[in-house]
Amino acid sequence: MGTDAEGALRAVRSLVELEDTEQAAQLYEELGASQRERLRKQAAQGPVKERRGLVEVLRRARDFLGAARLMDGSGDDAAAADLYVQSGQYLEAAEAWLRAGESERAASAFERAGALERALEVYRGLGARESMAQCLVRLKRPFDAADLYRELGQPHAEVETLGGVTPEDPRYIEAVLRMCRLLDVEGFTHRALAVLVDALTSSDVARAEPAMVTERARLLRRMGMNAEAEAVLGRRNTPSTTPVANGYRFLKAIPIFSELSLEDMKDLYRQARQVVLAQDSIVLEKGEPGVALLVLMEGTVDVFSGPESDARLLNSLGPGEYLGEISLVQDAPVSAHVRARTAVRALRISRTAFEHYLDTHEAAALRIYRLFTQNLAARVRALSA
């Protein structure tokens, strides 16, 4: 048996020398695990040409991890990193990307591997504050993340991050008050009051905090409810309020995101930016590259067959509807011309931000691609019918 094994190893090496990659790969696949390991060790100590030849054989045989380890130290760290990614070894891929000088890809791989502190360190070196904030959220450091979102001018992400602070946290009151002020400034006073009421209902510490009572009265006055505000200050009961709909709920309702977990959905929402578009402005221009998803929060847009003055009106869309989801996963031109009928406020997720999200949320990416494929197939069937 030992002679047969040695013969098989020699045969693979001979085929590598002859550059018969296909035949060598088939023979390599038939070897036992211990034989494959011996062959890799021999190649690692052998000439560079033999090592590179075996790397191609291992690629063909789909032993991506073995190929990656053979590539280590060969001077082509980027190729080794790609192979580590294919084998699912993201930590090793990240280290290889660092050696290759590809810091951004290294940080994404560290994040995907769950090495969040390493990812944060690399993102900090890159000055990538948004990605730093995402890492800080996942590291359960909400105030640090919220401070970064404030610097970035992203109040909705700041609110969502602070919303992760639990009543057991010693800074819970600070988080609630900060959320309320942010929401109020953004025009969501009803939602701010709902956040405050929820905190008062769920936390004894919050009910005992004078600043919470003062803030509740302030918000009630902002809503024109002066009598209720005075009642609160007099420690009397006041009616409850209902929060207004926001962009998170609209984003969550999009079919390709319907299977995302709560944590993944919140991470995706933090990738979004609020944009305001003037009445009659061009929202999407037919034929131009699609680069973002737009989720309408306020206002109405008209969808036309083209930019011409006599173009046919195809549809009108309002709050909760969306445009450009295909551009997130497919590089294709915009198929219609969209103009703002009124002033519009929307959430925007760029393809670049979305691709980073997919790179760092493997389970979410699989669900999104599967649902996108199913929805696309349904559209094709509908058109065929």
Side-chain angles (χ1 to χ4, degrees):
M1 182 65 101
T3 303
D4 290 344
E6 287 298 330
L9 292 176
R10 285 196 299 272
V12 173
R13 296 179 71 175
S14 296
L15 289 167
V16 169
E17 289 180 15
L18 293 170
E19 299 183 0
D20 189 347
T21 305
E22 184 64 39
Q23 189 66 31
Q26 290 179 18
L27 186 53
Y28 179 81
E29 290 167 1
E30 295 169 4
L31 295 175
S34 61
Q35 292 174 295
R36 293 197 296 269
E37 185 178 357
R38 283 177 59 194
L39 182 61
R40 291 193 299 267
K41 285 181 178 178
Q42 290 172 6
Q45 297 168 1
V48 172
K49 182 179 178 181
E50 180 180 336
R51 188 164 70 241
R52 288 178 177 169
L54 188 60
V55 165
E56 293 307 313
V57 170
L58 269 56
R59 281 182 197 265
R60 187 68 60 90
R62 301 185 186 178
D63 182 359
F64 300 121
L65 181 57
R69 287 175 175 162
L70 271 180
M71 288 290 293
D72 264 342
S74 69
D76 195 349
D77 292 307
D82 280 331
L83 288 165
Y84 277 125
V85 169
Q86 286 183 280
S87 66
Q89 302 298 312
Y90 298 109
L91 196 58
E92 290 87 343
E95 297 291 357
W97 283 126
L98 277 183
R99 293 193 298 272
E102 297 276 359
S103 298
E104 189 170 348
R105 299 182 75 173
S108 293
F110 277 130
E111 193 174 351
R112 196 166 181 178
L116 298 175
E117 291 288 359
R118 291 293 309 278
L120 181 62
E121 177 187 346
V122 178
Y123 283 135
R124 185 177 287 115
L126 290 167
R129 292 186 295 168
E130 185 174 345
S131 296
M132 286 172 59
Q134 289 283 354
C135 278
L136 288 166
V137 169
R138 297 177 71 184
L139 283 165
K140 311 299 183 188
R141 293 166 57 183
F143 286 96
D144 291 338
D147 289 343
L148 273 176
Y149 282 128
R150 173 170 287 186
E151 292 175 14
L152 290 164
Q154 298 175 23
H156 77 283
E158 187 179 349
V159 168
E160 289 299 322
T161 299
L162 292 169
V165 179
T166 65
E168 294 73 31
D169 193 298
R171 299 177 67 184
Y172 178 64
I173 301 299
E174 178 187 344
V176 172
L177 292 174
R178 184 165 161 182
M179 279 192 289
C180 290
R181 287 159 193 156
L182 282 165
L183 288 166
D184 183 33
V185 167
E186 290 295 304
F188 295 109
T189 307
H190 282 81
R191 187 181 168 204
L193 187 55
V195 167
L196 193 69
V197 169
D198 181 66
L200 290 167
T201 302
S202 60
S203 169
D204 292 335
V205 174
R207 284 193 292 274
E209 174 56 54
M212 297 286 279
V213 177
T214 302
E215 180 64 6
R216 187 177 183 183
R218 186 187 74 81
L219 292 171
L220 288 166
R221 288 196 186 98
R222 289 271 292 156
M223 295 166 59
M225 302 170 68
N226 294 325
E228 289 85 347
E230 293 304 318
V232 165
L233 293 174
R235 299 192 179 279
R236 292 191 295 271
N237 292 329
T238 60
S240 63
T241 59
T242 303
V244 297
N246 61 26
Y248 176 78
R249 293 182 179 85
F250 291 149
L251 188 66
K252 179 183 174 184
I254 295 175
I256 62 172
F257 304 142
S258 64
E259 293 186 3
L260 297 188
S261 68
L262 176 61
E263 183 176 339
D264 285 344
M265 195 67 233
K266 292 288 187 179
D267 284 350
L268 178 62
Y269 182 56
R270 279 187 284 270
Q271 298 287 345
R273 303 286 173 276
Q274 286 196 32
V275 295
V276 177
L277 305 169
Q279 182 178 359
D280 292 326
S281 62
I282 303 303
V283 179
L284 295 175
E285 189 167 356
K286 184 175 181 178
E288 291 296 308
V291 294
L293 166 71
L294 282 176
V295 184
L296 303 180
M297 298 169 64
E298 294 176 5
T300 305
V301 302
D302 290 328
V303 183
F304 294 94
S305 59
E308 303 83 7
S309 58
D310 60 346
R312 184 160 51 97
L313 177 64
L314 302 176
N315 203 355
S316 294
L317 305 175
E321 296 182 284
Y322 53 93
L323 301 156
E325 77 279 13
I326 291 177
S327 70
L328 291 180
V329 294
Q330 190 175 48
D331 187 8
V334 175
S335 59
H337 198 74
V338 184
R339 185 183 301 121
R341 181 194 296 179
T342 67
V344 169
R345 190 162 63 91
L347 284 181
R348 182 181 188 275
I349 299 180
S350 70
R351 184 192 297 162
T352 300
F354 190 71
E355 287 175 347
H356 176 76
Y357 173 82
L358 294 179
D359 282 343
T360 54
H361 295 73
E362 185 174 9
L366 290 173
R367 293 187 178 102
I368 288 169
Y369 279 126
R370 181 168 59 80
L371 290 173
F372 177 81
T373 303
Q374 290 175 355
N375 290 339
L376 190 60
R379 290 184 187 183
V380 171
R381 284 195 298 270
L383 288 171
S384 299

